[in-house]
Amino acid sequence: MRHWLAHALRQAVIELRPEALLGAAEVTPDGFYADFVVERQLSTEDLPAIELRMRELLKAGFPRAVEPIQPPDALGLFDGRAQPYQRELAALAGESALAVVHHGNAVQLCAAPELCAARASVALAAALEGFELRSLGGAYFRGDARNVMMSRIYAWAMPSKVELEAKRAEFEAAGLREHKKLGRELELFAFDDDIGPGLPLWLPNGTAIRDELERLMRELEFDAGFERVATPHIARQELYYKTGHLPYYADGMFPFMQHPGDPEAAVFALRPMNCPHHHKVFAAKRRSHRELPFRISEYGHVYRYEDSGAVSGLLRTRCMCMNDAHIYCTPEQVVPELLAVLDMHRQVYAVLGLSEFRIRLSTRGDGSAHANKFVDDPEGWARSEAILRDVLVRSELPFFEGPGEAAFYGPKIDFQFRMVTGREETASTLQLDFAMAERLDLSYVGPDGQPRRPLILHRAPLGTHERFVALLIERFGGAFPTWLAPIQARVLPVGEAYDDYAKQVQRALRGVRVRADVDPSGPTLGKRIREAAVKKIPNVLVVGERELASRSVAVRRRGSEKQEVVPLVELQQRLRGAIDSRSLDA
Ligand SMILES: [Zn+2]
Ligand SMILES: [Zn+2]
């Protein structure tokens, strides 16, 4: 049904926008989408007319015909019709079965004729009742940022009206958790036109979360034998030619900069990744095999020139701070190091209560299609991919393969999380790099006194602050456990007479490093309790005569109406304990 609806969507768009160029169309777990290049941008106001036309088409028996076609004939057909992307998709289909869907003057490619054939069994009434065009987005043709950006129309399609309504309700509930909305309401981050798109300002509340995550990683990395480094955010442009990022990734970098008064005319680049800087840390002195594995980490800032149309909240930004680290090791050390990193992933996900993700082994796939995209060393690829596959199996982690998703210097393991919008994002990666040591001439002295190339692991269990905090906001619906909450406790005096005592309580808590604030009397207590609930503060402490007299507070936990009077000294210990243990339940 969804496949058939996706064809109808493309037909409707072609009829309403005859200039439209068709891209890909796919069925999703709850509907379908289709991509288009159009002259005048599509807006959500266009969706009702498109949906209406789809309904008319379906009632009128769309499509007129579906005919099998041989791939070479498909190429010719789309040549004649100025549909370059349909032609390219037909060319990519290789030997697989293709069909052409005809209706009116329009034709479109069908890459799954068996699904088209199945439409005969679908009840028209159910199909009409169960679908809805819901939103617009952008997507690069074939998912590659060097290709044209297309408009994507998303739709839901459920087997019945009841299920569609349930889907809508679920979506609305999820929308309340959406990171952009909560980020604004909880004052975590902001954007400003004078700063620029995709450049988040982390407000004090959001920064508190970042700091907690960094503290967590610093501890785990210390325990795992990492040493911290700090490196500049810029480097000479030549560095990126040496690494091979330039010229191919120039579009993804900020424009280069050159000081007009510089007699050496050096050109600098804002770094799009931390790796080369770390490699230079490795190269800063002669290294012996006895120093390996050499593990260095840094929460490092990187800058990428995302398309201004593609930037979105914290998920697509132009400035990111990455939980980066690189491990330089011998071939014998690779497997134990990879296993140790996977173990660290397990630890951090357990601390954060993250269990719903998929692991993707991103390989080169058929590299021939992207000669420029991957380093040319078939043996190196085969060996590295086999190593990663093996450690995943040994770690007993279920995974799927993502051909063509590798980094250009090696395969990687990606941790994929689904956001409330339904979109899947890579939140963390672990990469095995067999190529960069050669390019940057990195070496260590082996036991025989001869220079050898190290292997390099790139890892970032918490990805970037931007993307990971977005994920955590949605994971917790903004109701962070005490250790991660920006404001861990708020003191509410019942009246003016207790404002001073409230401040004393705040000082006592800050004295044991608890992020506590005071909402002084003025507005009614009920109003201030509601405000604390809106801000999702985990511990609300009400103080009045009884509490003042007994040096205690009345604790209300988030989401509960119950109050429990607790001596201040005990509360200090209790909150400290919840924070130190990083409890998910406190
Ligand atoms: Zn089809
Ligand atoms: Zn790296």
Side-chain angles (χ1 to χ4, degrees):
M1 170 179 85
R2 288 169 184 156
H3 178 88
W4 172 38
L5 290 167
H7 279 305
L9 168 59
R10 299 155 105 198
Q11 178 73 28
V13 170
I14 282 214
E15 291 184 9
L16 296 169
R17 297 285 190 96
E19 87 288 359
L21 301 182
L22 302 178
E26 292 286 345
V27 163
T28 63
D30 51 20
F32 57 92
Y33 66 76
D35 296 343
F36 307 91
V37 178
V38 284
E39 269 169 20
R40 188 169 47 78
Q41 270 301 323
L42 287 166
S43 80
T44 43
E45 274 123 57
D46 295 315
L47 296 183
I50 297 171
E51 190 177 304
L52 181 67
R53 183 65 199 137
M54 281 175 72
R55 292 181 191 285
E56 289 167 1
L57 283 164
L58 294 167
K59 283 185 208 151
F62 169 85
R64 196 183 74 227
V66 179
E67 285 165 2
I69 189 167
Q70 292 304 313
D73 299 337
L75 298 188
L77 179 67
F78 290 110
D79 267 345
R81 289 183 169 261
Q83 283 288 353
Y85 305 109
Q86 292 284 279
R87 184 187 187 282
E88 191 168 338
L89 291 171
L92 286 167
E95 299 293 294
S96 35
L98 291 179
V100 171
V101 174
H102 293 268
H103 196 85
N105 291 325
V107 294
Q108 46 175 298
L109 185 70
C110 172
E114 70 287 357
L115 291 178
C116 255
R119 80 182 187 283
S121 63
V122 177
L124 178 63
L128 289 172
E129 279 189 339
F131 94 91
E132 168 181 306
L133 299 187
R134 53 174 274 250
S135 62
L136 279 166
Y140 293 109
F141 181 57
R142 301 186 53 215
D144 187 331
R146 286 163 297 174
N147 289 337
V148 61
M149 167 70 78
M150 296 192 156
S151 300
R152 176 169 288 179
I153 299 181
Y154 291 94
W156 279 325
M158 305 305 282
S160 68
K161 189 176 174 182
V162 175
E163 279 159 280
L164 177 65
E165 277 162 7
K167 190 81 216 169
R168 270 193 212 122
E170 181 194 314
F171 181 76
E172 273 156 30
L176 298 175
R177 302 174 79 88
E178 203 262 331
H179 86 275
K180 282 187 261 185
K181 177 176 185 295
L182 283 172
R184 209 167 32 243
E185 289 170 3
L186 303 179
E187 299 171 41
L188 302 179
F189 57 89
F191 291 91
D192 187 297
D193 283 344
D194 286 338
I195 305 287
L199 299 169
L201 295 167
W202 287 86
L203 304 179
N205 286 347
T207 308
I209 298 172
R210 285 170 59 122
D211 286 349
E212 289 294 347
L213 295 176
E214 287 193 25
R215 195 169 300 143
L216 168 65
M217 289 317 290
R218 270 208 296 275
E219 289 171 15
L220 291 175
E221 285 164 3
F222 181 86
D223 293 347
F226 287 81
E227 297 172 278
R228 284 168 46 76
V229 295
T231 56
H233 298 196
I234 65 172
R236 292 182 70 147
Q237 184 191 31
E238 287 82 358
L239 175 64
Y240 300 100
Y241 280 103
K242 286 186 186 165
T243 59
H245 292 101
L246 288 177
Y248 304 118
Y249 291 85
D251 280 355
M253 293 172 71
F254 271 77
F256 303 114
M257 50 192 147
Q258 186 176 21
H259 195 285
D262 180 1
E264 284 159 33
V267 178
F268 291 92
L270 266 173
R271 67 178 173 193
M273 71 282 296
N274 302 304
C275 325
H277 283 78
H278 285 190
H279 302 338
K280 292 296 187 182
V281 170
F282 179 86
K285 61 172 263 216
R286 199 174 136 94
R287 305 270 171 200
S288 151
H289 65 96
R290 282 186 294 271
E291 294 171 58
L292 306 188
F294 181 56
R295 311 180 188 95
I296 50 175
S297 67
E298 172 179 17
Y299 250 106
H301 287 84
V302 299
Y303 302 84
R304 297 188 187 161
Y305 207 81
E306 294 282 352
D307 202 278
S308 65
V311 297
S312 169
L314 292 182
L315 286 178
R316 292 274 179 284
T317 55
R318 288 176 164 180
C319 169
M320 286 148 276
C321 185
M322 188 179 286
N323 170 220
D324 222 345
H326 294 88
I327 302 170
Y328 302 82
C329 62
T330 68
E332 297 72 41
Q333 292 164 339
V334 163
V335 170
E337 288 301 309
L338 286 167
L339 290 169
V341 172
L342 288 176
D343 198 54
M344 187 184 284
H345 274 265
R346 229 189 293 252
Q347 288 182 60
V348 288
Y349 292 173
V351 169
L352 295 166
L354 297 171
S355 54
E356 291 181 18
F357 56 89
R358 307 200 297 158
I359 295 176
R360 180 176 73 194
L361 173 61
S362 298
T363 61
R364 183 177 67 140
D366 175 16
S368 59
H370 306 274
N372 291 339
K373 203 172 152 188
F374 300 113
V375 295
D376 181 24
D377 176 358
E379 232 170 82
W381 281 101
R383 206 168 42 235
S384 317
E385 291 176 4
I387 292 172
L388 290 189
R389 205 170 279 121
D390 176 55
V391 297
L392 283 171
V393 171
R394 283 169 63 172
S395 303
E396 297 180 355
L397 293 167
F399 64 97
F400 67 103
E401 305 226 355
E405 303 280 354
F408 78 93
Y409 46 71
K412 58 192 177 109
I413 295 170
D414 293 320
F415 295 78
Q416 305 290 109
F417 287 84
R418 195 170 286 286
M419 306 303 293
V420 294
T421 54
R423 214 181 149 114
E424 196 173 75
E425 299 282 354
T426 301
S428 347
T429 66
L430 166 57
Q431 311 177 348
L432 172 53
D433 173 353
F434 60 89
M436 204 51 80
E438 179 81 33
R439 290 200 176 189
L440 290 182
D441 193 23
L442 305 180
S443 66
Y444 63 93
V445 180
D448 55 0
Q450 295 302 310
R452 307 219 175 142
R453 298 278 177 225
L455 285 160
I456 306 171
L457 305 184
H458 305 239
R459 49 109 280 190
L462 288 194
T464 64
H465 276 321
E466 285 67 21
R467 198 170 278 197
F468 225 91
V469 171
L471 178 71
L472 292 177
I473 293 170
E474 296 189 359
R475 152 74 178 82
F476 292 112
F480 295 102
T482 296
W483 75 274
L484 211 46
I487 301 165
Q488 296 170 316
R490 170 165 290 177
V491 195
L492 304 182
V494 298
E496 209 186 326
Y498 309 101
D499 280 4
D500 270 348
Y501 180 57
K503 281 188 195 135
Q504 286 174 36
V505 170
Q506 182 199 19
R507 266 197 301 276
L509 292 176
R510 291 186 65 90
V512 293
R513 303 254 162 81
V514 172
R515 291 185 291 271
D517 70 1
V518 176
D519 190 355
S521 60
T524 64
L525 181 63
K527 197 161 175 215
R528 285 177 288 145
I529 287 177
R530 278 194 299 280
E531 171 64 14
V534 168
K535 296 290 183 211
K536 303 185 193 285
I537 294 169
N539 304 286
V540 172
L541 316 172
V542 180
V543 295
E545 186 54 39
R546 181 182 49 170
E547 289 75 23
L548 170 62
S550 59
R551 303 289 301 168
S552 62
V553 297
V555 181
R556 286 170 79 109
R557 285 280 304 155
R558 178 178 51 215
S560 165
E561 307 256 298
K562 282 210 296 270
Q563 285 195 181
E564 179 197 6
V565 178
V566 179
L568 185 50
V569 177
E570 191 189 320
L571 180 75
Q572 284 176 313
Q573 289 166 1
R574 208 190 266 191
L575 291 180
R576 221 29 271 173
I579 295 165
D580 292 338
S581 64
R582 299 194 170 100
S583 167
L584 283 171
D585 314 311

